[in-house]
Amino acid sequence: MKLWSVFLPEILTVAIGCPIPLAEAKLRQAAIEFFQRTRAWVEWLDPVTSIEGSTEYNLDLPTGSDVARVEKSTVDGKPIGIASYYDAPYDWTRLDLASQGLVSRDLKTFRLGQAVAAGLTIQVQV
């Protein structure tokens, strides 16, 4: 990865007089849009170990990063579906989903559709 400052000379030659903080903000905005549209940066997050009776977990994100989309997930190496909270016919935050799947409303946490046994490895690709 490169620092924004590497790109500034290119930008400032065509945006003469542009304040550096504004140029850096626009670079960041362009990078976010690029990765959201192309999905060019996809990464498996560090595994999470399941806890007995728990369905809610945090997405352990690399420093300074945000999630645009949850791509895949596994529990103990077996793929599970990615569910949309928009499609749930009831309050999925209080009730189990009809099938096992992973749901994330805020892209900082996720919830499993049903609790799994303790000690299993949960992995999420974002």
Side-chain angles (χ1 to χ4, degrees):
M1 282 226 245
K2 297 189 182 219
L3 299 174
W4 299 134
S5 58
V6 172
F7 301 101
L8 286 178
E10 293 267 340
I11 291 171
L12 296 177
T13 58
V14 293
I16 298 167
C18 177
I20 290 175
L22 177 60
E24 288 177 339
K26 293 301 181 181
L27 271 169
R28 182 178 189 280
Q29 196 175 35
I32 289 169
E33 185 175 340
F34 171 80
F35 286 114
Q36 284 178 335
R37 285 185 183 199
T38 65
R39 292 157 65 183
W41 179 20
V42 178
E43 188 169 321
W44 282 99
L45 300 180
D46 289 338
V48 175
T49 303
S50 62
I51 299 168
E52 184 70 36
S54 181
T55 57
E56 187 102 15
Y57 300 91
N58 291 324
L59 289 171
D60 187 19
L61 306 177
T63 304
S65 64
D66 292 317
V67 172
R69 177 186 167 110
V70 176
E71 297 284 341
K72 298 177 185 175
S73 61
T74 64
V75 173
D76 218 26
K78 297 177 185 96
I80 61 170
I82 306 299
S84 170
Y85 72 96
Y86 290 116
D87 295 336
Y90 48 82
D91 186 0
W92 58 270
T93 60
R94 289 192 218 144
L95 303 168
D96 284 349
L97 294 173
S99 63
Q100 183 60 278
L102 180 142
V103 181
S104 179
R105 181 169 56 190
D106 59 6
L107 299 175
K108 296 186 184 329
T109 61
F110 68 89
R111 185 174 191 276
L112 295 177
Q114 299 171 348
V116 296
L120 299 179
T121 301
I122 304 167
Q123 279 202 283
V124 181
Q125 185 186 65
V126 298

